[in-house]
Amino acid sequence: NTMLRKGFKKIISAREVSVLAFRVDEMWTKADLQAVVEWLDESEYFSMFRLVCSSPSPGETFSYHGPGGAGTGPTTYLPISGVEFSKVIDWDRMPLPQDVLSFDLRQPDIFRTVQLGDASCEAEDVVDEETCANDGSGKCRSTAAVGPPG
């Protein structure tokens, strides 16, 4: 997380990137991810896990996936900005790697990507964070996705 923050400090502060994507794998800790997300929050970026929906129908289950094989298909997003990691993220049961995207909040049109993903996955407007991360399945039940906050 220190290398990511050092490497992108000038780029983020100069608003030279609209969407930052990075992968969280076994080398990361929950505290590392939380620190990076909080740093991006302070810089007015909104972070989300990328989710590939297994079936585009309401109430279906979403699995966390990275690129490759299972990482193709309709995509939606699970917000991790502004959440209490200790209550929401079940790190020990979350499959790794995970893709994280951080969108520049000063460019609200970027969130159309999220809306398009929600539409293709037929996700609803509100995330029930308790069922998404702590149900022990490593999957998120679809009641959810996000647009620009606030």
Side-chain angles (χ1 to χ4, degrees):
N1 101 38
T2 303
M3 286 179 49
L4 183 114
R5 290 178 8 181
K6 279 185 177 181
F8 283 94
K9 182 178 180 178
K10 289 181 183 178
I11 293 169
I12 295 292
S13 64
R15 315 305 292 186
E16 292 181 8
V17 64
S18 300
V19 178
L20 176 66
F22 58 96
R23 176 166 281 183
V24 175
D25 60 17
E26 293 80 12
M27 296 183 67
W28 286 70
T29 66
K30 183 192 244 185
D32 289 338
L33 179 59
Q34 183 173 359
V36 169
V37 169
E38 288 172 354
W39 171 66
L40 289 165
D41 286 350
E42 290 168 9
S43 301
E44 297 182 71
Y45 283 79
F46 190 80
S47 300
M48 300 167 279
F49 283 129
R50 181 180 75 93
L51 303 170
V52 175
C53 44
S54 57
S55 173
S57 90
E60 287 294 322
T61 300
F62 292 93
S63 296
Y64 294 104
H65 295 289
T72 59
T75 302
T76 191
Y77 307 88
L78 176 67
I80 56 175
S81 279
V83 301
E84 289 186 54
F85 272 62
S86 60
K87 292 182 179 179
V88 176
I89 307 296
D90 187 348
W91 191 262
D92 295 327
R93 294 183 179 213
M94 184 174 71
L96 295 173
Q98 289 296 320
D99 293 327
V100 177
L101 282 82
S102 297
F103 288 18
D104 183 348
L105 286 170
R106 294 182 188 175
Q107 297 186 42
D109 286 346
I110 293 171
F111 284 88
R112 290 183 186 187
T113 301
V114 176
Q115 294 166 346
L116 289 171
D118 291 351
S120 66
C121 291
E122 297 182 13
E124 296 174 10
D125 293 327
V126 180
V127 172
D128 181 354
E129 294 161 348
E130 294 298 323
T131 62
C132 290
N134 284 329
D135 70 355
S137 68
K139 296 181 178 180
C140 175
R141 187 140 313 268
S142 170
T143 55
V146 69

